[in-house]
Amino acid sequence: IPTAESWLALYPECIYVVERSSEEQALAKYNYDQDALQKVREDAEENSQLAALKSKYYFTMPWFEGYEFYEVLNFPVDQFNFLEKLQISIALIAALQKLHKAGWVHRDLKAENIIIQRLTDGTFVANLVDLDQAKKNGEAVDFFGTFEYIDPELLKQAKRNQCRASFSQDIFALGILLAELWVGSCSAL
């Protein structure tokens, strides 16, 4: 399942179980939490809507403690000092780089799709979420995105009905996000 593949590119600790006949092989390939996996199985057996999934794919995503990036943007201006903003910026870049190194384009990178965690040592980690529209770089795609973060090149492609997933889409959105972090609002630019 493409969405699961994009999640696993970022978060290999996710539980990913393919069809039950090859479940052992899948579990050997990916790290997993046995208790969480058992809960997925129990839910599928107890819930009539999930019962149909018993022979299908299961995929769970990690839970991230922290703030959605849009919340971070709405904190008081003096909430983060220069070094903290720099660490958040580096964390965002690192998260996107990890996704791109695996060949995936997020396609809807925006403040609502990023969770910022402050670790116990005071450093920051950015987690990209909502990867349901992620596609392989270069793959033909339908026009998609959140207006404020859409790469103008994608608009040109849409006009010609030739949209392709491209790292540039995410990089443009990253630029907007960094501007929002440092300047406060893109409307100020």
Side-chain angles (χ1 to χ4, degrees), residues 69 72 75-92 116-119 121-125 178 181-182:
F69 191 66
V72 170
F75 285 159
V77 176
D78 60 349
Q79 178 76 27
F80 299 107
N81 64 36
F82 176 85
L83 181 58
E84 291 170 326
K85 284 185 178 182
L86 186 60
Q87 289 176 345
I88 292 169
S89 299
I90 291 168
L92 278 170
I116 300 293
Q117 292 177 281
R118 185 184 289 235
L119 303 179
D121 65 1
T123 60
F124 293 90
V125 174
L178 292 175
L181 176 64
W182 287 91

Side-chain angles (χ1 to χ4, degrees), residues 29-46:
K29 186 173 181 183
Y30 301 108
N31 297 325
Y32 66 98
D33 177 327
Q34 188 61 47
D35 292 335
L37 180 58
Q38 185 58 37
K39 178 75 173 123
V40 169
R41 288 184 182 139
E42 288 169 5
D43 286 349
E45 290 167 7
E46 291 174 14

Side-chain angles (χ1 to χ4, degrees), residues 7-170:
W7 269 97
L8 287 166
L10 280 176
Y11 310 110
E13 70 277 10
C14 292
I15 300 166
Y16 180 68
V17 181
V18 292
E19 298 204 32
R20 287 185 176 263
S21 60
S22 58
E23 185 174 320
E24 307 313 319
Q25 179 184 0
L27 294 178
K29 186 173 181 183
Y30 301 108
N31 297 325
Y32 66 98
D33 177 327
Q34 188 61 47
D35 292 335
L37 180 58
Q38 185 58 37
K39 178 75 173 123
V40 169
R41 288 184 182 139
E42 288 169 5
D43 286 349
E45 290 167 7
E46 291 174 14
N47 184 319
S48 60
Q49 292 178 338
L50 291 175
L53 296 176
K54 285 165 67 171
S55 64
K56 304 280 184 194
Y57 294 89
Y58 294 109
F59 182 71
T60 64
M61 295 156 280
W63 174 258
F64 299 115
E65 292 291 333
Y67 298 99
E68 287 188 24
F69 191 66
Y70 80 88
E71 294 175 295
V72 170
L73 296 176
N74 289 316
F75 285 159
V77 176
D78 60 349
Q79 178 76 27
F80 299 107
N81 64 36
F82 176 85
L83 181 58
E84 291 170 326
K85 284 185 178 182
L86 186 60
Q87 289 176 345
I88 292 169
S89 299
I90 291 168
L92 278 170
I93 293 165
L96 188 59
Q97 181 182 31
K98 187 174 180 181
L99 185 67
H100 286 184
K101 274 189 172 183
W104 290 93
V105 179
H106 189 288
R107 297 184 63 228
D108 196 22
L109 192 61
K110 59 184 177 182
E112 292 84 352
N113 291 341
I114 301 166
I115 305 293
I116 300 293
Q117 292 177 281
R118 185 184 289 235
L119 303 179
T120 54
D121 65 1
T123 60
F124 293 90
V125 174
N127 298 289
L128 305 181
V129 297
D130 198 9
L131 291 164
D132 59 317
Q133 294 296 323
K135 299 290 181 192
K136 285 289 195 174
N137 187 48
E139 184 177 338
V141 294
D142 292 328
F143 180 79
F144 182 83
T146 301
F147 182 74
E148 295 86 348
Y149 300 94
I150 292 177
D151 178 4
E153 190 61 35
L154 185 61
L155 295 172
K156 288 181 189 176
Q157 291 176 8
K159 199 172 180 180
R160 298 185 307 259
N161 285 332
Q162 298 174 339
C163 293
R164 296 208 167 273
S166 170
F167 295 141
S168 67
Q169 295 166 353
D170 289 347

